Amino acid sequence: MRILLVEDDVVLGAAVRDQARDDGHSVDWASRLDDAGAAIVSAAFELVLLDLTLPDGRGLDFLKSRRQAGDATPCIVLTARDQISDRIAALDAGADDYLIKPFDLYELSARIRAVSRRYSGNPNPLVTLGDLEIDLAGCSIRRAGRSIQLTRREWSLFEAFVQRPNQLMSKTQLEERLYSFDAEVESNTIEVYVGRLRRKLGAQVIETVRGLGYRLGRLESRP
């Protein structure tokens, strides 16, 4: 998924960014709230990781303003504030989760996956599509007990279709999911990755709707 990280601590921000990228996400990193505000109206983010104390204001005020504007983007608060009252205030302001610094990066990865599943409408990390057994938590796919290996980018693209099984997604929407602002994207990148997924998972795994985009195909179990 595409994530907006709002964090002014350089060391922590770099660690979170690298962890999320290792998990296959694309990450845009803002160290100020004004930069975060500009980013969030310029791209379709699927998650915000938000510090509560930024150089130019309070993350809680930023979150409240986004929710009041109708922005339903999931948000995980990352903060050193560990008082119960702080947690209550953030959750009541619209946060979906609250992680206290210092935290384990693998726990953050798990919380990102959990929030993503909830918003996709399927909290169960195990999904069956035709003869494919998909573990969204473990980022793995098996067919007849045999593991199918995907690269991080291939997994991120396939996950987008699995989480939106009936949704048609344009090439632009998929590019925004896979790449941050500073990434260079070739004009045929999505076509290349769709082709790779079809070779590994079957020709029908992704359906092309000519002139409009792609969606998850209708998979049937093999005999």
Side-chain angles (χ1 to χ4, degrees):
M1 71 175 70
R2 187 166 182 180
I3 295 173
L4 176 61
L5 170 62
V6 189
E7 172 62 64
D8 67 323
D9 185 303
V10 175
V11 174
L12 177 61
V16 170
R17 177 199 60 196
D18 293 346
Q19 177 74 15
R21 286 180 175 175
D22 285 346
D23 289 338
H25 307 299
S26 62
V27 182
D28 290 290
W29 180 9
S31 58
R32 297 176 60 87
L33 290 174
D34 54 1
D35 293 333
I40 208 166
V41 298
S42 301
F45 292 100
E46 295 166 278
L47 178 69
V48 176
L49 301 177
L50 179 64
D51 186 14
L52 291 185
T53 306
L54 284 303
D56 57 340
R58 299 169 67 240
L60 195 62
D61 293 334
F62 176 83
L63 177 58
K64 288 179 179 178
S65 68
R66 294 310 309 163
R67 293 299 188 237
Q68 290 169 359
D71 184 355
T73 306
C75 177
I76 299 177
V77 165
L78 311 178
T79 181
R81 299 181 179 180
D82 59 357
Q83 297 298 310
I84 293 296
S85 58
D86 294 320
R87 301 184 204 184
I88 292 172
L91 293 170
D92 283 346
D96 296 272
D97 203 347
Y98 193 100
L99 196 54
I100 298 172
K101 303 174 184 177
F103 49 80
D104 186 275
L105 291 172
Y106 292 104
E107 180 182 359
L108 174 61
S109 293
R111 288 174 183 263
I112 289 173
R113 292 192 296 268
V115 170
S116 176
R117 290 196 302 271
R118 289 199 298 271
Y119 271 79
S120 70
N122 181 19
N124 186 354
L126 302 178
V127 178
T128 300
L129 293 175
D131 58 357
L132 299 177
E133 299 173 356
I134 303 160
D135 183 349
L136 294 174
C139 301
S140 64
I141 303 175
R142 301 178 70 84
R143 174 185 281 140
R146 298 183 61 182
S147 177
I148 300 174
Q149 300 298 319
L150 299 184
T151 67
R152 287 178 298 187
R153 197 74 75 184
E154 290 166 355
W155 170 264
S156 183
L157 182 62
F158 184 58
E159 183 185 41
F161 291 110
V162 173
Q163 292 177 337
R164 302 163 182 79
N166 301 311
Q167 182 176 331
L168 179 66
M169 288 180 283
S170 69
K171 178 179 175 180
T172 299
Q173 287 175 317
L174 293 171
E175 287 175 344
E176 287 190 347
R177 177 186 174 93
L178 294 183
Y179 296 99
S180 54
F181 286 122
D182 57 355
E184 294 184 5
V185 185
E186 299 290 339
S187 60
N188 68 335
T189 294
I190 297 301
E191 289 87 346
V192 169
Y193 280 111
V194 166
R196 292 179 182 177
L197 288 174
R198 286 170 173 163
R199 286 193 295 273
K200 292 183 177 183
L201 304 177
Q204 304 303 315
V205 68
I206 298 174
E207 177 185 355
T208 299
V209 180
R210 190 173 300 277
L212 295 177
Y214 303 90
R215 64 186 169 204
L216 191 67
R218 299 180 183 277
L219 300 182
E220 297 181 358
S221 299
R222 294 181 179 182

